[in-house]
């Protein structure tokens, strides 16, 4: 388990560690089922760290913000160019999160997502905000969202496995008393 935690923290493939944990789990059905739930990319190529996702987010955010500012989502080159200028001039940094929670327009949703990631380092809240967006804004962030969701899923699985192992250890300790 420590090897998996180290490798997931370094964005490295976990195929061999997962196989080793399957063997060590001694056919424990709970651990086996949890290991089957790991995203496929985790075993073959790894998943970007939360820090790497935060770094990539700025580019995704800027692209989504530009798309959100295009009228009717079907604008031509001029509308896209104007949206890029408006996005560059937007000052969402000065808006309070309490003000953003009262709005549900795409710009507010994007600003909340950015706030949750930059201020709270809360990847899960950021992804939930992106799930509230519609096409084509959400599509612009699709690749980042898939990887972010894989990261969240992998971390939840690891927490679950750790809790289960701790429970097994506690049961074993109680049986020896």
């Amino acid at each position: 388990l420590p090897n998996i935690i180290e490798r997931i923290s370094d964005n490295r493939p976990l195929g061999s560690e997962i196989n080793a944990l399957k063997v060590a789990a001694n056919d424990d059905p709970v651990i086996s089922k949890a290991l089957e739930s790991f995203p496929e990319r985790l075993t073959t190529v790894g998943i970007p760290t939360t820090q790497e996702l935060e770094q990539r987010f700025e580019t995704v955010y800027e692209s989504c913000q530009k798309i959100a500012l295009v009228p009717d989502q079907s604008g031509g080159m001029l509308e896209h160019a104007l949206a890029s200028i408006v996005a560059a001039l937007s000052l969402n940094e000065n808006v309070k999160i309490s003000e953003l929670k009262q709005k549900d327009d795409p710009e507010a949703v994007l600003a909340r997502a950015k706030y949750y990631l930059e201020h709270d380092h809360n990847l899960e809240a950021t992804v939930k905000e992106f799930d509230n967006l519609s096409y084509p804004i959400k599509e612009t962030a699709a690749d980042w969202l898939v990887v972010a969701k894989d990261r969240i899923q992998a971390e939840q699985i690891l927490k679950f496995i750790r809790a289960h192992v701790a429970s097994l250890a506690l049961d074993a300790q109680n049986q020896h008393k």
Side-chain angles (χ1 to χ4, degrees), residues 104-164:
D104 62 354
D105 59 279
E107 294 86 2
V109 172
L110 287 168
R112 278 194 306 268
K114 183 175 183 175
Y115 178 88
Y116 291 138
L117 195 61
E118 289 182 352
H119 296 279
D120 297 343
H121 303 284
N122 188 336
L123 188 59
E124 204 165 335
T126 300
V127 167
K128 284 180 184 176
E129 289 296 337
F130 266 91
D131 282 340
N132 292 323
L133 294 168
S134 59
Y135 180 86
I137 303 166
K138 190 174 180 179
E139 183 67 25
T140 303
D143 292 340
W144 184 88
L145 277 171
V146 166
V147 179
K149 287 178 180 182
D150 283 351
R151 161 64 56 185
I152 292 166
Q153 180 183 3
E155 288 176 357
Q156 289 173 342
I157 292 168
L158 282 175
K159 284 179 188 175
F160 176 78
I161 290 172
R162 275 189 284 204
H164 182 68

Side-chain angles (χ1 to χ4, degrees), residues 61-103:
Y61 171 80
E62 289 172 3
S63 297
C64 290
Q65 189 180 35
K66 289 174 190 172
I67 297 296
L69 294 170
V70 174
D72 300 322
Q73 306 303 330
S74 61
M77 282 184 17
L78 180 59
E79 286 84 1
H80 282 275
L82 288 172
S84 294
I85 293 168
V86 171
L89 297 174
S90 293
L91 298 174
N92 288 333
E93 307 301 323
N94 296 329
V95 177
K96 294 181 179 155
I97 190 68
S98 59
E99 295 171 15
L100 292 173
K101 287 182 179 179
Q102 298 170 7
K103 300 178 181 181

